[in-house]
């Protein structure tokens, strides 16, 4: 008897190999425009490598086989080791080979941060958990190299392209990871409530040895070779300490991992609760300057939050578009159905706006490191130079716009990934598809490195404390909005909202939202095709602005052109 009940048809095969960089015009154009044209060939190679189906399988394995804490060895000795699946180590080795953890510092040149940002955005489309140790290590470098004696020991390891997962004294290793330990049970984001104490082992002072006693409720990347830790010094001031996994005498440091966090997402990556039992550490920076020092580090980690969320936006969009182009319903491919085109086009607008903004922020970090003292130049869309802008504009991008972008882009990613999942229907909701993992990943960038409210308040503080940078941003927006009625109205409303938010902080989220939307609109007007900029401005700032549901675009938007641009040549 023939028990064949049906033939399998109209089912979408998994996304095959493709070049993530070559098929993303917004990313490629942005990287070239913002100063990383020299890296185009390398990014094309990276895009092809990271588009291999084999890496998606590694991502699946790394998340299906989560890290395991092993507190003791078979002889009963305390080891506090974290064991990872080989897929995790393979992904991390690729990150090190590509230099995303340090190359912008090790090989500085104009556009180095933009090139790294573009590569990081490609990497984040594969797997998000590995981004955390990458970001922490990258962001620690400008802090650690202020300490000449310590830096002389660490530089070869931090600039190495060899990923070395061995749990061993640093002197025996090829490379290293650095994590961060800030938050405690009682305070969370309120770091001034921290109680961990650092007792000097000698006379104290800059670079002195200390013994730390206390805990951290979230300890990023506990397998790292060292952490930058916030603790109270002998004067009860919050200071920054370099706390290695192994002491200089090659014995294990007394950082006791209590347990690993059982997280909603980011499951391939280990996050821990730890206690310090006279853990050995070195004072980094001036005593009492721990919070400012680690907030300097957070400036870089917050940019990576924006990049990581943009990567999730892009990865989810590509999965949705792949499905819609292959799956048929009611006589047409989904991608040809008008309502689906509107949804995909709206998601594509969100992704291109996030990409363009993220690369512009990365360029500000480049220009800070490489610009002449007086000014930097900007490119017109056609490639000619605009008159140079003051470096205060770049400071505004870094200090004012980055926290606002983290708030907005990271929150939009949560909604957008959910919408992309819906494109696949029930198929998208099952664990066999990567969208389930992406949706669990999406909230973490909004929470870590400062929640939405922290970012909104940080925006207000930056506006108040850096008036010259704020004025430079205002002048740039005024010049860019000139001649466009919709942008001009949005700028006037933003100015009024800024005054209101400085008086009433409850309006700070609204200010962050409207600031980012206007900057995105300006950047798209300057650099994107008109059909992209027009649709974004009309839907986000114009008369069509209303609810937040994706797929609500104004009549006349060129949906087909937007969708075709979003995933070119795939």
């Amino acid at each position: 008897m023939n028990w064949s009940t049906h033939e399998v048809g109209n089912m979408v095969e998994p996304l095959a190999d493709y070049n993530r960089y070559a098929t993303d015009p917004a990313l490629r154009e942005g990287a070239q425009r913002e100063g990383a044209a020299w890296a185009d060939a390398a990014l094309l190679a990276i895009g092809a490598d990271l588009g291999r189906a084999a890496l998606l399988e590694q991502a699946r394995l790394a998340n299906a086989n989560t890290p395991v804490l092993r507190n003791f060895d078979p002889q009963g000795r305390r080891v506090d080791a974290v064991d990872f699946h080989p897929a995790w180590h393979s992904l991390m080795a690729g990150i090190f080979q590509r230099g995303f953890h340090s190359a912008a510092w090790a090989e500085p040149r104009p556009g180095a941060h933009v090139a790294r940002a573009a590569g990081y955005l490609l990497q984040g489309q594969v797997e998000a958990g590995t981004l955390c140790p990458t970001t922490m290590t990258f962001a620690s470098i400008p802090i650690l190299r202020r300490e000449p004696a310590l830096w002389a020991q660490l530089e070869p390891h931090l600039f190495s392209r060899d990923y070395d997962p061995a749990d061993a004294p640093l002197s025996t290793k090829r490379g290293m990871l650095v994590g961060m330990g800030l938050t405690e049970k009682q305070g969370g984001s309120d770091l001034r409530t921290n109680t961990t104490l650092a007792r000097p082992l000698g006379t104290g002072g800059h670079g002195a040895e200390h013994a730390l006693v206390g805990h951290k409720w979230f300890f990023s990347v506990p397998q790292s070779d060292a952490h930058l830790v916030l603790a109270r010094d002998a004067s009860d001031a919050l200071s920054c300490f370099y706390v290695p996994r192994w002491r200089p005498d090659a014995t294990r440091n007394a950082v006791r991992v209590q347990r690993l966090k059982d997280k909603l997402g980011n499951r391939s990556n280990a996050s821990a609760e730890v206690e310090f039992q006279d853990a050995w550490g070195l004072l980094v920076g001036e005593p009492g300057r721990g919070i400012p020092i680690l907030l300097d580090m957070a400036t870089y980690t917050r940019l990576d939050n924006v990049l990581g969320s943009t990567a999730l936006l892009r990865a989810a969009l590509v999965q949705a578009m792949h499905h819609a182009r292959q799956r048929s319903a009611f006589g047409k491919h989904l991608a040809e159905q008008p309502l689906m085109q509107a949804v995909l086009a709206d998601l594509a607008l969100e992704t291109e706006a996030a990409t363009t903004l993220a690369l512009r922020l990365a360029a500000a970090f480049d220009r800070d490191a490489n610009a002449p003292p007086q000014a930097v130049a900007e490119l017109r869309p056609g490639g000619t130079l605009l008159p140079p802008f003051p470096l205060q504009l770049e400071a505004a991008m870094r200090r004012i716009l980055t926290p606002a972008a983290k708030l907005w882009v990271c929150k939009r990613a949560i909604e957008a990934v959910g919408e992309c999942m819906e494109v696949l229907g029930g198929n998208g909701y099952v664990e066999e598809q990567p969208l389930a993992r992406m949706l669990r990943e999406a909230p973490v960038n909004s929470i870590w490195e400062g929640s939405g409210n922290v970012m909104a308040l940080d925006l207000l503080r930056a506006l108040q404390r850096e008036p010259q940078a704020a004025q430079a941003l205002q002048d740039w927006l005024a010049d860019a909005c000139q001649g466009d009625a919709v942008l001009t109205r949005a700028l006037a409303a933003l100015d009024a909202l800024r005054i209101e938010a400085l008086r009433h902080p409850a309006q700070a989220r609204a200010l962050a939202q409207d600031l980012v939307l206007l900057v995105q609109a300006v950047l798209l007007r300057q650099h994107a095709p008109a059909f992209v900029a027009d649709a974004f401005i009309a839907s986000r700032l114009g008369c069509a602005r209303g609810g937040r549901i994706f797929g609500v675009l104004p009549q006349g938007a060129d949906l087909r052109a937007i969708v075709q641009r979003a995933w070119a040549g795939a």
Side-chain angles (χ1 to χ4, degrees), residues 202-225:
T203 57
H206 193 129
E209 298 181 358
H210 285 71
L212 278 70
V213 175
H215 83 284
K216 293 298 170 185
W217 186 232
F218 277 92
F219 201 59
S220 301
V221 196
Q223 76 275 17
S224 292
D225 299 280

Side-chain angles (χ1 to χ4, degrees), residues 497-508:
L497 182 56
R498 174 177 52 82
I499 295 170
E500 179 69 13
L502 289 171
R503 294 173 179 165
H504 304 288
Q507 295 298 311

Side-chain angles (χ1 to χ4, degrees), residues 108-460:
R109 61 181 294 183
H113 284 274
V114 173
R116 186 261 180 185
Y120 186 99
L121 204 154
L122 295 169
Q123 183 77 46
Q125 295 175 48
V126 176
E127 203 283 319
T130 48
L131 298 183
C132 181
T134 307
T135 289
M136 292 296 171
T137 302
F138 179 79
S140 73
I141 291 174
I143 306 302
L144 292 169
R145 66 180 182 181
R146 299 174 192 170
E147 305 294 321
L150 180 59
W151 180 245
Q153 303 172 41
L154 303 182
E155 180 181 5
H157 301 282
L158 285 168
F159 284 175
S160 171
R161 295 289 186 99
D162 290 330
Y163 169 68
D164 188 345
D167 184 10
L170 191 60
S171 60
T172 69
K173 295 188 61 173
R174 304 183 306 277
M176 71 178 296
L177 293 172
V178 178
M180 181 191 288
L182 298 184
T183 58
E184 299 179 4
K185 292 185 180 75
Q186 71 282 352
S189 296
D190 187 1
L191 299 177
R192 297 190 184 279
T193 67
N194 281 15
T195 60
T196 295
L197 298 176
R199 172 175 51 84
L201 297 178
T203 57
H206 193 129
E209 298 181 358
H210 285 71
L212 278 70
V213 175
H215 83 284
K216 293 298 170 185
W217 186 232
F218 277 92
F219 201 59
S220 301
V221 196
Q223 76 275 17
S224 292
D225 299 280
H227 285 77
L228 292 175
V229 174
L230 188 66
R232 294 190 177 277
D233 60 26
S235 67
D236 201 37
L238 288 166
S239 298
C240 178
F241 296 87
Y242 172 85
V243 180
R245 185 163 175 79
W246 291 77
R247 295 187 183 98
D249 63 2
T251 60
R252 289 185 182 276
N253 208 357
V255 180
R256 306 305 186 201
V257 181
Q258 303 301 100
R259 61 174 177 170
L260 299 185
K261 295 291 192 181
D262 185 8
K263 296 171 293 185
L264 168 69
N266 207 251
R267 297 187 67 83
S268 68
N269 174 48
S271 305
E273 300 166 20
V274 302
E275 290 186 352
F276 306 116
Q277 298 176 3
D278 278 339
W280 185 90
L282 294 175
L283 179 64
V284 171
E286 296 302 320
R289 297 287 298 166
I291 289 179
I293 289 170
L294 291 167
L295 285 181
D296 284 349
M297 183 175 174
T299 302
Y300 296 97
T301 61
R302 289 169 179 175
L303 173 60
D304 277 6
N305 289 140
V306 177
L307 290 165
S309 287
T310 303
L312 285 172
L313 273 168
R314 176 66 187 177
L317 172 65
V318 167
Q319 289 288 337
M321 293 184 69
H322 171 69
H323 181 87
R325 288 175 177 179
Q326 306 299 320
R327 178 83 165 178
S328 296
F330 309 111
K332 293 181 180 179
H333 282 122
L334 289 175
E336 296 299 319
Q337 303 284 1
L339 265 177
M340 183 60 74
Q341 279 193 348
V343 171
L344 293 174
D346 206 357
L347 290 164
L349 292 176
E350 195 71 35
T351 305
E352 180 154 354
T355 300
T356 303
L357 174 60
L359 293 176
R360 179 61 184 89
L361 294 177
F365 287 85
D366 266 320
R367 291 161 188 167
D368 177 48
N370 297 293
Q374 70 281 8
V376 293
E378 292 285 337
L379 285 174
R380 292 184 188 276
T384 58
L385 286 174
L386 286 164
F389 284 108
L391 287 179
Q392 286 295 343
L393 176 61
E394 307 310 306
M397 291 288 174
R398 294 189 307 275
R399 184 66 188 89
I400 296 172
L401 198 55
T402 297
K406 179 188 177 308
L407 187 157
W408 180 249
V409 173
C410 295
K411 289 191 180 300
R412 289 295 278 168
I414 301 170
E415 299 176 53
V417 173
E419 193 71 53
C420 290
M421 175 183 282
E422 191 172 328
V423 172
L424 277 68
N427 292 324
Y429 199 66
V430 298
E431 292 294 339
E432 291 170 323
Q433 296 284 350
L435 281 162
R437 185 178 77 244
M438 292 181 196
L439 187 59
R440 288 195 301 273
E441 293 285 2
V444 73
N445 285 317
S446 190
I447 297 169
W448 284 358
E449 303 306 302
S451 64
N453 283 350
V454 172
M455 292 301 97
L457 294 172
D458 197 29
L459 168 62
L460 294 185

